[in-house]
Amino acid sequence: MKLFLSGNEAIAFGLVEAGVRFIVGYPGTPSSEVIPTAMDIKKRFGIKGYFDWSVNEKVAFEEATAASYSHIGSAVVMKQVGLNVAMDPFMNTAMTGAPGGLVVVVADDPGPHSSQTEQDSRFLAFFAKIPVLEPSTPQEAYGFSKKALFLSRNFEIPVMIRSVTRVSHSREDIEVGRLDDLQVKPNFIRDVDRFAATPHFRLILHKELNEKIESIKKLKWFSDFEEYFEGGVLIVTSGVSFAYLYDIVKDNNLEDKLKLLRISMSYPLDLEKLKKAIDKTGSKRVLVIEEGYPVIEMQLKTKMPTVEGRLSGLVPNEGELTIDKIGEILAKAGVLNQKSHGFVLPPFKRPSLCPGCGHRSAFYAIKQVFKNKAIYASDIGCYTLGLNLGAVDTVHCMGASISFGFGFDKVYSLFGKNDQVVVATIGDSTFFHSGMPALVDAVHNNSKLILVILDNSTVAMTGNQTTPADKYNQIGEKTKSIEIERVIEALGVEFLKIRDAYDIDGMINDLKHAKDFVLDNKVPAVLIFRHPCVYSGEGLENNIRFKNIYINKDLCTGCRVCVNQFECPSLIFDEDRKKVFIDVATCIKCGQCVKSCPFDAIKVEQ
Amino acid sequence: MKLIILGVGGMGALSLSKIVAQMSMNRNISVRSSEIHGMAKKGGLVEVQMKIGEGKSGVVLQKTADFTLVLDEAYLDYGKAFLREDVFGFIVLKNKDKEWIVKDLGDIRFANALILGRFVKQQNLFTNDDAIEVLKNFKFFKKNRIAFERGLV
Ligand code: SF4
Ligand code: SF4
């Protein structure tokens, strides 16, 4: 069966075909398509397996570790910053091992395109002492996923598949194999010296881990290098950079100038073998070009101090190594005559919350009440774009809105005037992910924080995945819905109001009450402003839709208050006429902007 | 063949690339693509780069493409930047095409088939039948065929 698969889809096919029957993770661009694909495969081919989202990456990692302890082939999927959240179990599972196999799929985002950091997960594989495989194309992502399970099972060690945006989000025609329902049986064999090891036994486990790594280093295929072309300058490379280099050589006829030595497993590296392979080529000059941090380069430099790469200043130390960038590097190194032609950029459009998004109305209400007086701590998700409405001052990492809010409030209460208002905004899924522990702290330690949960009932930013509040999972299986309001009540919050985020007056009212309450009582207040994401098919279908919405040209003064303060991208200022008009192609006729016009010029027809 | 498809979120740039990919696969020609849709959901550009019968990565550099298909006139200059200097493969969905599609076919998404028609007409790797073979499996084959044939004239 030949399919046109993205790297992420290919990973799902590879894992399931290899026999992985337990896949969990948390959504995050560019990794989010692996689990939905696995769920579709399960439904389509009638495969028995547990493939679904977890509440966060740490929990996912532990769930998958237990499945692997039970001899079930397992995998856990996340983006690079997700691995930071899962760091604790990640380090530990490397020590205890993964009897049934555990593939750790991590998608890095050099650029970064949609992340807070450009971190290279291969370094964390190095740090935890587990092997890492680097596919360069979707086709390889498929094949390497199968190999990863094989390696993981045979050595009872977690194995990382390190993808990057350009592999995860590329497509290729791939011949996939048969997908059969396997007979698998859980078989957890009690071994407390391993699975409940005290520090004394941890030392033994560490020694075992070192031995595993030594053997894997020498393993056929994994430790082999592929060589391409016959030129005098040698480039040691891996992952997506290899695919780019290959294309550059072909397109520029550099076959007799460059030679590529491609590494598939960048840790552990058999450095003796690598040095021999390099020496055999007789190349006088060796460059290392790899996407991310200098993982291969640092290892190789211990044997060959003259290699050139990031450490020698040839390759820049930040930013994505696009094919253009690699071209520039080769030109700088004097091996490619790149005619530099000005790169044309696409017209820039500021990212903005979708037209009709309930978050916009909520931020608008917040801003109306607190103006520039409050400190606004926000979080990771679509609502980061509350920036455009001036209602977001900090965005850090998952869940940090509440802990930041706590920190701000404490210092201002202690050392400042005691009337500083702090408003934290967080999405529903992010609240479940890691906002809950921070709220426990805020309640227990009497923080007078105002927490607004922007509940759109989905993980919107990454493609509308389900949340713990859903009653069914993606493929229609029944789940238990966790109601946020009940969690808030159970945590002992004394002020809770729930409101539709399309009710701007109601929200303004709630916010004013919340302010009085926190200042009087010095304890937190929580508001849930709820409106389904209008980007999801269901959300848009059920959304209020006026027959018509238009600007009364006579009333519009061209003051731009709606454009600046409400900031819906469907409100466009016509520079020639000095009036606003509504872009009918994108407007969803929700009518939310009506309130923002001080001259009542935005009109709706029922 | 190197191909660029540019559109905005919801215009069907991705589906168009998948149609071309299926045409290639039916003919046993290798096909790769690279998608850039960072903030597509937020009204931004959707860019698909494709390599048909060549390459290891799906990435296409500026000044190297054989064809650029532009589904939104905001991206004319950007689209042109991808074309090789010696080719004429610049295919644009004009506003009057959009009007015709919405009026006669009722949904802007049939723009795909129209652009596909223009593309197929201008090159000699794929035949009309290759395209019909793929469109045949679509829910609204009739309307797609009308749009496709309109692209051929
Ligand atoms: S995807 Fe949904 S939640 Fe995100 S901005 Fe669009 S409407 Fe709002
Ligand atoms: S009605 Fe107003 S707020 Fe709603 S989408 Fe249209 S312009 Fe935006």
Side-chain angles (χ1 to χ4, degrees):
Chain A
M1 184 171 49
K2 206 165 216 180
L3 299 170
F4 190 50
L5 297 178
S6 72
N8 283 344
E9 291 166 348
I11 289 171
F13 271 92
L15 291 174
V16 178
E17 199 185 309
V20 171
R21 289 297 176 267
F22 192 95
I23 310 178
V24 286
Y26 187 80
T29 313
S31 71
S32 308
E33 296 80 13
V34 178
I35 288 180
T37 306
M39 290 172 88
D40 283 342
I41 293 172
K42 166 179 162 173
K43 200 169 160 192
R44 198 162 129 206
F45 297 94
I47 281 164
K48 194 179 210 168
Y50 182 80
F51 308 148
D52 218 322
W53 299 113
S54 307
V55 69
N56 66 32
E57 294 87 352
K58 175 184 190 290
V59 170
F61 207 103
E62 290 152 0
E63 291 167 348
T65 297
S68 175
Y69 278 6
S70 313
H71 283 90
I72 302 294
S74 304
V76 55
V77 186
M78 60 199 68
K79 71 181 294 180
Q80 89 284 30
V81 291
L83 185 56
N84 301 343
V85 176
M87 206 56 200
D88 207 355
F90 174 67
M91 296 302 292
N92 275 299
T93 309
M95 296 278 264
T96 60
L102 175 62
V103 181
V104 184
V105 179
V106 188
D108 286 355
D109 184 26
H113 297 276
S114 40
S115 307
Q116 306 99 290
T117 73
E118 289 196 295
Q119 68 194 61
D120 186 334
S121 299
R122 297 177 304 163
F123 252 120
L124 297 186
F126 188 111
F127 186 40
K129 300 189 179 176
I130 65 161
V132 50
L133 305 182
E134 269 190 88
S136 65
T137 60
Q139 175 74 53
E140 286 186 357
Y142 168 73
F144 283 24
S145 298
K146 296 200 263 185
K147 289 209 157 62
L149 182 72
F150 167 83
L151 180 62
S152 178
R153 269 205 173 131
N154 273 284
F155 287 83
E156 303 201 353
I157 187 171
V159 173
M160 182 185 289
I161 293 279
R162 188 258 191 161
S163 183
V164 292
T165 307
R166 300 302 180 196
V167 172
S168 284
H169 287 174
S170 289
R171 291 182 177 274
E172 193 170 8
D173 54 318
I174 299 174
E175 182 74 45
V176 297
R178 279 175 62 96
L179 287 160
D180 293 317
D181 193 18
L182 301 172
Q183 293 299 323
V184 292
K185 249 216 202 112
N187 183 22
F188 173 62
I189 302 162
R190 193 168 284 127
D191 178 358
V192 288
D193 296 347
R194 171 175 298 276
F195 301 132
T198 51
H200 167 73
F201 288 100
R202 292 275 165 171
L203 177 70
I204 300 169
L205 292 176
H206 190 182
K207 185 157 181 279
E208 275 177 32
L209 176 59
N210 287 336
E211 284 160 7
K212 284 181 193 174
I213 282 293
E214 278 311 307
S215 326
I216 291 169
K217 207 183 253 181
K218 301 252 160 2
L219 220 54
K220 218 181 140 33
W221 189 87
F222 294 94
S223 72
D224 292 348
F225 315 111
E226 293 165 19
E227 287 180 32
Y228 298 85
F229 315 119
E230 292 309 326
V233 176
L234 181 71
I235 302 183
V236 179
T237 184
S238 69
V240 71
S241 299
F242 159 66
Y244 289 167
L245 279 161
Y246 185 95
D247 282 354
I248 290 175
V249 171
K250 285 278 186 191
D251 287 347
N252 296 284
N253 305 315
L254 298 174
E255 285 91 341
D256 56 0
K257 274 193 144 174
L258 291 181
K259 186 180 186 78
L260 304 183
L261 191 143
R262 186 264 165 94
I263 292 171
S264 299
M265 183 171 72
S266 33
Y267 180 84
L269 267 182
D270 186 343
L271 291 171
E272 296 300 332
K273 182 169 163 183
L274 181 57
K275 183 161 187 311
K276 251 186 229 151
I278 293 173
D279 288 345
K280 221 181 86 207
T281 66
S283 304
K284 293 266 167 326
R285 207 169 163 199
V286 182
L287 319 182
V288 184
I289 297 185
E290 54 187 321
E291 182 64 282
Y293 295 178
V295 173
I296 294 172
E297 192 183 338
M298 278 176 73
Q299 297 181 73
L300 185 55
K301 222 171 166 83
T302 60
K303 298 273 171 209
M304 304 186 85
T306 56
V307 294
E308 297 169 63
R310 294 194 194 267
L311 299 172
S312 76
L314 176 67
V315 180
N317 278 303
E318 63 285 312
E320 183 180 10
L321 281 188
T322 58
I323 196 162
D324 290 289
K325 207 11 105 295
I326 293 181
E328 282 170 27
I329 292 164
L330 295 183
K332 191 169 147 196
V335 286
L336 172 68
N337 272 329
Q338 178 149 295
K339 307 161 239 84
S340 82
H341 53 76
F343 185 81
V344 179
L345 289 169
F348 177 75
K349 236 172 149 186
R350 178 171 87 163
S352 171
L353 291 160
C354 295
C357 175
H359 295 340
R360 175 177 291 104
S361 304
F363 280 121
Y364 178 77
I366 292 171
K367 201 62 206 275
Q368 291 297 308
V369 174
F370 301 110
K371 311 272 178 339
N372 286 332
K373 298 236 169 60
I375 297 176
Y376 298 112
S378 194
D379 225 300
I380 309 285
C382 288
Y383 46 90
T384 296
L385 294 170
L387 272 168
N388 297 352
L389 286 97
V392 169
D393 294 328
T394 65
V395 174
H396 204 71
C397 59
M398 293 289 284
S401 56
I402 303 179
S403 19
F404 268 44
F406 180 95
F408 282 127
D409 171 61
K410 274 291 165 216
V411 293
Y412 273 88
S413 303
L414 258 177
F415 308 115
K417 286 196 291 175
N418 204 2
D419 61 353
Q420 175 64 51
V421 175
V422 179
V423 181
T425 44
I426 191 170
D428 46 336
S429 180
T430 309
F431 176 72
F432 285 122
H433 178 283
S434 45
M436 284 196 299
L439 184 58
V440 170
D441 217 25
V443 174
H444 181 65
N445 291 312
N446 302 317
S447 166
K448 59 179 201 327
L449 163 83
I450 298 176
L451 171 62
V452 179
I453 300 180
L454 299 165
D455 181 1
N456 58 4
S457 315
T458 181
V459 192
M461 187 71 174
T462 49
N464 295 104
Q465 291 81 16
T466 53
T467 78
D470 277 295
K471 296 190 177 74
Y472 296 93
N473 72 2
Q474 176 197 312
I475 50 173
E477 293 161 342
K478 199 142 179 42
T479 51
K480 166 89 180 162
S481 161
I482 315 284
E483 293 168 42
I484 296 190
E485 47 268 50
R486 295 185 57 188
V487 175
I488 304 291
E489 276 163 3
L491 291 182
V493 171
E494 290 162 36
F495 183 104
L496 171 66
K497 285 259 156 34
I498 303 165
R499 185 72 70 173
D500 186 325
Y502 266 20
D503 177 1
I504 292 178
D505 290 337
M507 288 188 291
I508 288 178
N509 201 24
D510 293 346
L511 287 159
K512 285 181 178 156
H513 280 141
K515 180 183 168 193
D516 294 342
F517 176 85
V518 297
L519 291 178
D520 288 349
N521 299 286
K522 312 278 184 269
V523 293
V526 177
L527 303 162
I528 301 176
F529 293 158
R530 186 170 272 161
H531 198 87
C533 165
V534 293
Y535 193 84
S536 69
E538 211 190 351
L540 186 58
E541 242 160 65
N542 299 328
N543 207 50
I544 173 166
R545 196 180 188 91
F546 289 95
K547 206 163 130 241
N548 196 14
I549 170 136
Y550 62 96
I551 308 285
N552 182 323
K553 295 253 156 48
D554 298 331
L555 294 177
C556 176
T557 64
C559 68
R560 301 197 205 203
V561 166
C562 61
V563 176
N564 294 338
Q565 293 188 11
F566 198 71
E567 195 268 339
C568 175
S570 305
L571 294 168
I572 298 174
F573 189 72
D574 181 336
E575 295 287 351
D576 296 332
R577 295 203 183 86
K578 299 277 179 253
K579 301 216 183 256
V580 166
F581 70 96
I582 289 178
D583 173 20
V584 290
T586 55
C587 168
I588 65 163
K589 299 186 173 144
C590 67
Q592 283 293 296
C593 51
V594 170
K595 282 243 146 50
S596 68
C597 176
F599 304 99
D600 231 356
I602 310 178
K603 301 288 184 195
V604 290
E605 268 169 43
Q606 294 281 344
Chain B
M1 181 195 289
K2 298 189 175 81
L3 183 71
I4 298 285
I5 305 175
L6 304 176
V8 288
M11 277 296 299
L14 289 181
S15 343
L16 182 54
S17 74
K18 286 183 189 168
I19 295 173
V20 176
Q22 192 59 50
M23 285 161 58
S24 312
M25 291 197 292
N26 289 350
R27 291 265 309 274
N28 260 322
I29 307 172
S30 78
V31 53
R32 308 183 154 76
S33 76
S34 172
E35 297 165 10
I36 301 165
H37 43 91
M39 283 282 179
K41 207 167 165 176
K42 310 279 176 256
L45 164 72
V46 179
E47 176 176 336
V48 189
Q49 311 183 337
M50 299 187 85
K51 279 195 187 132
I52 297 162
E54 59 175 285
K56 242 194 207 312
S57 77
V59 172
V60 175
L61 287 177
Q62 293 195 346
K63 291 221 158 89
T64 67
D66 301 285
F67 287 92
T68 303
L69 317 183
V70 182
L71 301 178
D72 190 299
E73 286 184 293
Y75 298 108
L76 289 181
D77 289 341
Y78 184 57
K80 264 197 203 115
F82 281 97
L83 275 190
R84 253 166 49 201
E85 268 151 15
D86 55 335
V87 297
F88 300 98
F90 196 51
I91 298 168
V92 179
L93 184 72
K94 301 245 172 59
N95 283 332
K96 68 173 199 292
D97 298 323
K98 288 190 189 167
E99 281 163 29
W100 173 77
I101 289 165
V102 173
K103 199 167 98 277
D104 279 29
L105 301 174
D107 193 331
I108 188 65
R109 272 175 290 183
F110 294 109
N112 266 338
L114 179 122
I115 290 300
L116 184 68
R118 286 197 189 143
F119 164 66
V120 169
K121 190 183 161 200
Q122 284 201 28
Q123 49 77 63
N124 44 28
L125 182 59
F126 299 110
T127 64
N128 296 357
D129 290 344
D130 291 336
I132 293 292
E133 188 65 31
V134 175
L135 292 177
K136 215 166 64 190
N137 303 315
F138 283 36
K139 218 162 144 203
F140 302 102
F141 173 50
K142 268 207 191 115
K143 286 188 175 181
N144 272 308
R145 177 142 85 184
I146 295 171
F148 177 71
E149 281 169 357
R150 172 99 173 198
L152 290 177
V153 296

